[in-house]
Each structure stands twice: as structure tokens, then as C-alpha cells.
Amino acid sequence: MSMSENVLKLSNEKIAKSITKDMIGLFFEDINCAADGGLYAEMLENRSFEAIKTKGTGRNYVMAEDNLYAWESTDQKPQNLEISMNMPVSEKNPHYLRFTAEKPGEGFYNKAYEGISLTKGQKYNLSFYAREVFYKEGEVQILITKDGKTYAENTVGLKFITEPDGYNQMIGKCESKEWHLYKAQLTAQDDVHGARFEMHLTKEGSYEFDLISLIPQDAVAGVFRKDLFEALKNLHPAFLRFPGGCIVEGTSLLHRYEWKKTVGELKDRKIKPNLWATQGGNAIKAWETSDCHYMQSYGIGFYEYFVLCELLSSEKRKCKALPVLNIGVACQFRSYQTVPVDSEEFQEYVQDALDLIEFANGDVNTKWGSLRAKMGHPQSFNLEMIAIGNEQWESDYVDVAPRYKAFEEAIHKVYPQMKLLGTAGPFVKHELYDIGWNFYRDNAKSNPNFCYAVDEHYYVAPEWLYQNVDFYDDYPRDVAVFAGEYAAHDLNLTNSVESALAEAAMMTGMEKNGDVVKLASYAPLFNRIGHSQWTPDLIWFNEESVVYTPNYYVQKIFSDYAGSKALQLDGQDKKLREQKLYVSAVLDDEEKIIVKVVNASEEEQTLNLTDEKGQVYLGECEKVLMQAASGKAKPVVQTEAVDTKDGNKGLPGGDTATNFKMCELRKPEATSCIISKIHLDGKVSLPPKTITVLKFEKKN
């Protein structure tokens, strides 16, 4: 097959549009164990004995306490583990463990997801609250073990109280038994995976335990798992949207995300069931999923999200915080519950927004600014943007417009410079989407400050993205766009090279319209292998490693090779699409030309680069080539679980469709992303199913 040749004429004098520096960012939601079991470095499950087992789907679910989930006796004596709630460490999380050792050495252990992974020589910080019941001059031994071998250990002396005699007890002259916070450190003696965390009493007796925590010493800021943090840092994001997603709304308003309950001392952050515990996602049963105990510990709360934004900022760009607030509506996919706009209760939601701004930016003498300072950050977080609602749309029972207006008026009355983002719902090219957009545009005519950008979402087939590269060409410029959640969903719902190419093609259209597309973030962000409620996802991981997907490299390319000005292509880009080539051409801050080309075809092609006079571009050039690691993109083969007679999910061959099995079948396609220096001789070869980036000096 002969190589197809194409021409792209560039004029660095013809500037089409300015491009925002804030475009490429991140969307974080605690789905697929993104926070607990993921970015949050806590290694133990159900550390505070507050687990809830949630079963069901959609609007039909049940919840029940299962406080000993993830904890068991090391001696097959479940009767020695009891849950109590008498004078707890915190009334916000009232349950704790009472453990009784009938003889020295008996103990209990935590299963810790797929088990504890340790790296030889690394240190791990242990902390826990404990209170004596009856235990004289004893200790607690902490072990990390597997198959009878110990990989880390330490022993902590526990406080005990001498029982007073009758007279002292009568006159109240005695010491009460109180909770004490203990801290210690474990050092890994060797590498291990799939181990378990154990605590043993060295003597017989009873002691109570709560908030048992094990975090690697290298956790960033003592909170964030290092390798997952670095995966985010390497993207140089311009913003972080948090905390969701549907999780903001909750399965009901009782279980919505309430930012005020996620700040302050860790022990006082009320743990809640995770909305995604009821999502079957990739598996397992119609009624009960393998992650039915999925909880939100809020170890990463709103304070930590703001800190994370600062930590993700770099010389390349600042990472701005973009919190999303509930507007008195539970998830419309799961509930009909709302708070009436004319009620006092609704005003509490509005006040939460005002208080959040004070928490982020307020003086240390204000109520919420003082809490921020007490938590360790007296300086303002310099919050600039807030999203009002997540994914709401107008319906017979949800009135989005008056809700947004109430927030807008209240916030701008006190904070006129705050940028507010609205929502067009989860559907593009739909009448509900048009209703949303018309509302914001109509109000912007009389109040340009009414809405900074509208959040729109699309999870679509790769073909849709290819066909809609020009989606934003004709958008009015009065209100900006926030592409808050988007991804290409191929037939197998995986992170394929094909899906990544389609997203890159769409992003060339976003980049060319960077004057109106102000913000864009792929979704979801993380997926812990074997704990998926949703695929595809940007970053896959397990307890010991991280997998960068093809889609991750696309985001990194557009972040690392961002432009500040889009060059006018005079329709050449549309003509090249006929050859399945999708291009953008920009100038960066150094006034260098950056050309991005997606070759979505099955054949190799060339692209000749000339100026308007036909003179070819020559000289040194930085080149990026992203393609399948094998050199050839794999065809996407659909894998679907089917219903079986026992009500579970199975595969056509008879295997049980476990979450791990489905993750294996949908694992990300291996990808190569190579940066090199080349001599540009006027043309560049474009292998099939690839993304090529060229960065070179413009002509004077």
C-alpha cells in the first residue's frame, strides 16, 4: 500500500484564538477505590469499625451495620471480638473494638484489601487509640505476617490503671480509664505482598481499640500514596475538580457529601457508606457487589483536597481548586429526593457554600478561616472557582434554575469575583442539555458574571468523538465550557489505543477552541484493579503498582505541549479529517510551533509542513510518538458478563465474572510514548493508529 501524503501550511502570523492556560485538569471522585484504598495512603480497611454493608441497585437498596468487616481473630475465636459504643473516642464515629485474650498471645488481624504490601527497608507509621478494660502491665505486639513468617514488628506498652480500694473508690480518689493515642513505627524486613496486619495482647485480658491506622512513611504530606500522587503530579494539572460526581449528591440527601463533616480532627470526621457500593459495574451479583462495604473515611477531606492542589502546582502551572457543591438534590439517577428552594433547609445548603469560601480564603479571625489555620494552613488557599451542582437537569421534580440563582445571588453578594460554574446535565445534543444552556446564556445577557462556565459531560463511542471534533467551533462565546467528564467508551469499556486516539482527536478541537473551552477533565481518574464500579479510567493500580493507560498519555501530551495561541488553519484541518488525520497547530509561551496529529487510519501517512509560500520547515524538532507498545493497535473485542441461573454474573465460557476477571479482560492496552530529537526536513511520517507531536521554531 502506498503511503498517503498530506500538506499542512502554517502561518505563525495568523492567530485564530487565544487558549486558556487552565484547560487540562483532573476530576477526582471516590469511585473504584480512588480515595480509600487508593490515593489515601491508609493501608487498613474499616480502621474505625464503622462499616456498613450496602446491597441493592438504583433506588432499591438496604444498609446494615457490619462493624467487624475486615477484622478477624487470629485464633478462630470470633467471640473474643466485640463491638461496643460506650463512651467512644468520638461520638461522630461511636463504634470501637473490645478484644479479649483468654491467654497470652491471642490477637486479631485486618485483611487490608488484597493484603499488606511492604518494601524492604521502608518505614510505616502506626497509630491507634486504646483504652484498658482489664489488662495489667501488658503490651500489644504488632506484626505483619504471611505464611507464618514475620516481615515487620513492634511492641507497644499499654497503659493500665490500678484498681482503687473501696475507700478511695467511695470518695472518688482514683484515676479513670481513658482513651490514649499510641504511635509507633514498623520497618519492613523484606519485600512482601498479600500479608496481613496483626495485633496481639502479650498477656490475657481485655483492651479496647479504635482508629487503627498504618500509613507508609513516604506518603506525601502524610496523606497521599506516593506513586499515585506522582502519577497526578506528572500531568501538571491546571485544576482539580472534587469531590465528585454522583458522590456529591448521594443515594439520598442523608448520604450526600457534606464538606463540613470532612474537616477538623480525623477522629471526628463521620464515616459514611460510599454511593458506589451499590453499583454492580463490572460484576458480580445483581443484588450484592464484592465492594458492598465500600466506605468514605474522609481521610482525604476538603482540607486535604485544597492541600493536594497546592502540592500538584508546579512551575509549569498552578493547580486550582474546583469544589463541587450539592444544591439540595440527591442523585437524579438514584433518587427523587430534593429540598424545596423556599425552605429554611435549602438556605443551609447556600450557607455551606459561603462558609466554604470562608474556609478556603477567610482571615484567620473568621470562624471557618480559623479552623483552616488550626489545621495547619493560616494562609488563604486562594479559591477562585466553585461548581454549583454536579449533573442536574430540569425535570418534573428538580428545578435547577432557581437553585442556581439562589446560590449565585448569595455568593456574588459577598464574593463578587468568585467564578461560578453551572451544569448542563449528563446529556449532550439533547433537549435537556439545550434547556440548561439556554438558561445560563439568557441570564448572561444582563449579568455577564452570572456563570463563568457550564459543565457538560459525555461518555460516548470513539466514533462520536471523531465525528464531533468541530463540536465547539460554533459555540457562542458569552459563557465558557467546562468539559467536566468525558471519555471514549469502546465496545469493551476499556482503555484502548483506539479510545485514546478518539479522545486526542476531540482534544484537538478543544484546543482550537480554547477561548471558549476553559476547562476539561477526563473521567473517572482512578481504578483499583478488582474493585471497579466503572471502566475505562485514566490510571489503573493495585496495592503495589501503577498502570498508565493510553488515555493517560494523551492527557499528558496535551498538558506538556499546551499552546497559548491557536493558529488559523483556514479549513485545512477539515480537509485532513477526510484522511482520518486530526490536527491542531498552536504557539506556546516560547513562541514555538506545536503541531499535534492523530492518525486514526489503518495506513501510514506523511504530513508535509510548509509556510504559506510553500517553503518547508527545516531544523531541530522535538518529537513525541504515542502508539501501541506492540507497534500495532489491538482490535477491540467486546466482553460482556451474562446473567446466570444463580443470579450472579458469568462469562459465556462458564467462568464467574468476578471483578478481578473483568478487570483482566478489560485491562489497559500497553502503550509506548517516546520523546526524541529529530531534524525536521519538511515532512514527518505518521504510522497508523498513532499520535505525533512536533515542536519546532517558527519562521521569522
Side-chain angles (χ1 to χ4, degrees):
M1 182 181 294
S2 62
M3 187 181 298
S4 175
E5 294 202 6
N6 306 274
V7 177
L8 181 63
K9 292 184 177 182
L10 300 173
S11 170
N12 47 259
E13 302 301 325
K14 288 186 176 181
I15 306 300
K17 300 178 180 74
S18 295
I19 302 171
T20 176
K21 295 182 179 181
D22 296 339
M23 182 185 294
I24 307 301
L26 301 173
F27 162 54
F28 187 94
E29 179 167 17
D30 191 1
I31 181 175
N32 307 328
C33 287
D36 290 294
L39 183 61
Y40 184 38
E42 177 61 68
M43 302 175 75
L44 304 182
E45 280 192 88
N46 190 26
R47 66 182 180 191
S48 294
F49 307 96
E50 300 295 333
I52 298 289
K53 187 174 185 178
T54 307
K55 303 188 296 182
T57 57
R59 296 172 173 84
N60 177 22
Y61 59 91
V62 296
M63 294 180 176
E65 291 182 356
D66 193 6
N67 304 96
L68 280 174
Y69 167 73
W71 297 95
E72 291 188 36
S73 165
T74 58
D75 304 283
Q76 290 77 52
K77 294 181 177 180
Q79 69 275 10
N80 291 354
L81 280 72
E82 298 178 278
I83 294 296
S84 183
M85 50 192 301
N86 177 33
M87 294 191 295
V89 173
S90 171
E91 293 182 2
K92 303 290 179 60
N93 296 297
H95 300 95
Y96 56 86
L97 173 68
R98 172 177 286 200
F99 177 73
T100 299
E102 297 176 357
K103 59 182 180 180
E106 291 185 340
F108 55 95
Y109 72 92
N110 185 274
K111 77 179 188 69
Y113 301 97
E114 281 68 64
I116 297 288
S117 287
L118 302 181
T119 301
K120 184 177 180 180
Q122 185 166 322
K123 298 181 184 300
Y124 300 83
N125 295 329
L126 170 73
S127 65
F128 59 90
Y129 285 90
R131 179 173 64 186
E132 184 200 357
V133 179
F134 183 78
Y135 192 58
K136 300 307 173 189
E137 301 185 44
E139 299 170 317
V140 61
Q141 185 180 27
I142 296 93
L143 304 171
I144 306 295
T145 70
K146 183 179 181 180
D147 299 332
K149 180 179 177 181
T150 297
Y151 289 84
E153 61 182 315
N154 203 339
T155 301
V156 177
L158 297 175
K159 297 180 184 295
F160 70 96
I161 305 300
T162 302
E163 289 291 338
D165 58 28
Y167 176 75
N168 283 325
Q169 190 173 32
M170 180 180 68
I171 65 174
K173 191 176 180 180
C174 58
E175 187 178 352
S176 63
K177 296 180 178 180
E178 303 288 349
W179 288 100
H180 295 278
L181 176 62
Y182 296 86
K183 294 183 179 181
Q185 198 170 74
L186 303 178
T187 301
Q189 300 166 13
D190 204 348
D191 293 345
V192 67
H193 307 294
R196 70 185 192 182
F197 172 89
E198 301 181 9
M199 299 182 76
H200 298 260
L201 296 184
T202 58
K203 294 185 177 182
E204 65 180 46
S206 295
Y207 227 90
E208 293 171 334
F209 298 90
D210 202 1
L211 219 167
I212 305 171
S213 173
L214 185 68
I215 293 181
Q217 188 184 51
D218 68 358
V220 178
V223 175
F224 308 107
R225 181 173 144 175
K226 185 179 179 181
D227 54 353
L228 296 182
F229 170 83
E230 290 174 347
L232 302 183
K233 182 82 170 180
N234 289 338
L235 290 173
H236 304 291
F239 66 89
L240 175 68
R241 175 186 170 215
F242 61 86
C246 293
I247 211 168
V248 172
E249 301 144 351
T251 52
S252 70
L253 290 176
L254 176 65
H255 297 294
R256 72 187 187 278
Y257 199 102
E258 298 177 80
W259 77 263
K260 291 178 180 177
K261 294 182 178 180
T262 75
V263 295
E265 289 192 53
L266 199 61
K267 66 181 179 62
D268 295 323
R269 301 182 188 184
K270 183 172 177 57
I271 298 169
K272 284 187 176 182
N274 192 304
L275 169 144
W276 295 105
T278 62
Q279 186 76 14
N282 289 357
I284 304 298
K285 298 181 181 179
W287 181 245
E288 179 180 318
T289 75
S290 58
D291 287 303
C292 56
H293 294 92
Y294 194 3
M295 304 290 289
Q296 297 177 84
S297 73
Y298 299 121
I300 298 178
F302 259 51
Y303 177 83
E304 287 76 20
Y305 282 122
F306 282 118
V307 170
L308 179 59
C309 289
E310 290 191 334
L311 294 171
L312 292 177
S313 296
S314 63
E315 293 183 2
K316 194 173 188 71
R317 62 178 61 88
K318 176 184 177 181
C319 180
K320 298 179 180 180
L322 177 50
V324 185
L325 301 178
N326 189 297
I327 60 172
V329 177
C331 179
Q332 285 178 258
F333 290 109
R334 297 170 173 84
S335 172
Y336 298 109
Q337 190 178 13
T338 64
V339 173
V341 176
D342 58 358
S343 66
E344 290 185 13
E345 186 179 359
F346 178 76
Q347 291 306 314
E348 294 176 8
Y349 287 75
V350 176
Q351 188 62 46
D352 280 348
L354 297 171
D355 292 343
L356 174 60
I357 299 171
E358 183 177 284
F359 176 77
N361 297 349
D363 185 89
V364 295
N365 295 317
T366 62
K367 176 182 177 180
W368 293 102
S370 65
L371 176 59
R372 182 194 70 241
K374 184 178 180 181
M375 294 183 71
H377 202 287
Q379 305 83 8
S380 168
F381 281 121
N382 299 309
L383 177 65
E384 299 177 19
M385 305 180 288
I386 284 184
I388 307 303
N390 165 53
E391 202 174 47
Q392 281 72 50
W393 62 92
E394 293 287 345
S395 73
D396 291 341
Y397 63 97
V398 175
D399 46 350
V400 178
R403 295 171 188 275
Y404 182 90
K405 281 186 175 181
F407 275 85
E408 189 273 330
E409 290 173 2
I411 292 172
H412 280 157
K413 182 178 180 179
V414 184
Y415 304 102
Q417 302 306 314
M418 188 62 58
K419 297 176 180 176
L420 305 184
L421 283 74
T423 171
F427 316 107
V428 293
K429 293 193 172 182
H430 188 282
E431 63 176 328
L432 295 174
Y433 155 89
D434 291 333
I435 290 171
W437 265 106
N438 290 339
F439 162 69
Y440 297 106
R441 287 178 175 143
D442 288 346
N443 281 274
K445 293 175 183 177
S446 58
N447 179 10
N449 198 34
F450 184 73
C451 182
Y452 172 66
V454 175
D455 184 8
E456 53 183 42
H457 300 170
Y458 38 94
Y459 298 104
V460 292
E463 292 74 21
W464 190 95
L465 295 179
Y466 286 129
Q467 293 164 8
N468 287 276
V469 170
D470 59 355
F471 192 57
Y472 298 112
D473 287 4
D474 299 323
Y475 261 48
R477 264 50 184 173
D478 51 354
V479 180
V481 173
F482 175 25
E485 297 181 34
Y486 70 90
H489 282 193
D490 66 25
L491 286 174
N492 199 32
L493 296 178
T494 194
N495 294 97
S496 61
V497 168
E498 185 62 54
S499 68
L501 292 172
E503 289 155 8
M506 186 68 179
M507 292 176 75
T508 64
M510 293 180 184
E511 191 169 54
K512 286 180 291 185
N513 290 284
D515 61 324
V516 69
V517 182
K518 298 292 188 182
L519 308 159
S521 49
Y522 180 100
L525 183 57
F526 283 121
N527 177 33
R528 180 167 180 140
I529 299 168
H531 298 269
S532 299
Q533 291 87 47
W534 185 297
T535 61
D537 309 280
L538 199 65
I539 300 165
W540 289 44
F541 67 95
N542 59 20
E543 65 277 10
E544 58 189 274
S545 61
V546 181
V547 178
Y548 291 167
T549 66
N551 317 73
Y552 177 93
Y553 288 110
V554 167
Q555 295 294 316
K556 183 166 176 57
I557 283 171
F558 276 82
S559 176
D560 288 350
Y561 295 89
S564 57
K565 301 170 185 174
L567 299 182
Q568 179 66 51
L569 297 181
D570 296 321
Q572 296 179 86
D573 50 329
K574 294 182 180 180
K575 187 170 182 58
L576 287 169
R577 285 178 216 157
E578 297 174 4
Q579 304 301 318
K580 294 188 176 182
L581 296 181
Y582 302 86
V583 303
S584 69
V586 301
L587 291 178
D588 67 6
D589 289 337
E590 299 175 344
E591 292 287 297
K592 288 188 176 182
I593 294 177
I594 299 175
V595 176
K596 302 181 185 73
V597 190
V598 176
N599 181 6
S601 73
E602 298 282 356
E603 66 174 20
E604 185 174 1
Q605 303 192 56
T606 61
L607 185 65
N608 295 281
L609 297 170
T610 74
D611 62 17
E612 286 191 303
K613 298 178 181 178
Q615 299 295 314
V616 299
Y617 280 90
L618 303 171
E620 296 302 310
C621 175
E622 184 173 326
K623 177 185 175 183
V624 182
L625 178 64
M626 196 207 91
Q627 61 183 345
S630 65
K632 185 176 181 180
K634 296 179 181 178
V636 177
V637 179
Q638 187 170 7
T639 303
E640 282 189 347
V642 297
D643 293 329
T644 58
K645 292 180 180 179
D646 59 5
N648 294 344
K649 293 286 185 179
L651 296 171
D655 291 341
T656 301
T658 66
N659 210 305
F660 281 97
K661 182 65 175 179
M662 295 303 292
C663 282
E664 174 63 24
L665 293 172
R666 293 174 173 173
K667 65 182 179 182
E669 188 171 352
T671 314
S672 168
C673 190
I674 304 298
I675 302 174
S676 60
K677 299 289 186 180
I678 65 169
H679 182 79
L680 188 63
D681 61 358
K683 70 169 62 175
V684 61
S685 172
L686 307 172
K689 300 292 183 181
T690 58
I691 302 167
T692 302
V693 182
L694 304 170
K695 181 178 179 179
F696 51 91
E697 297 284 351
K698 68 179 184 179
K699 288 192 174 184
N700 296 323

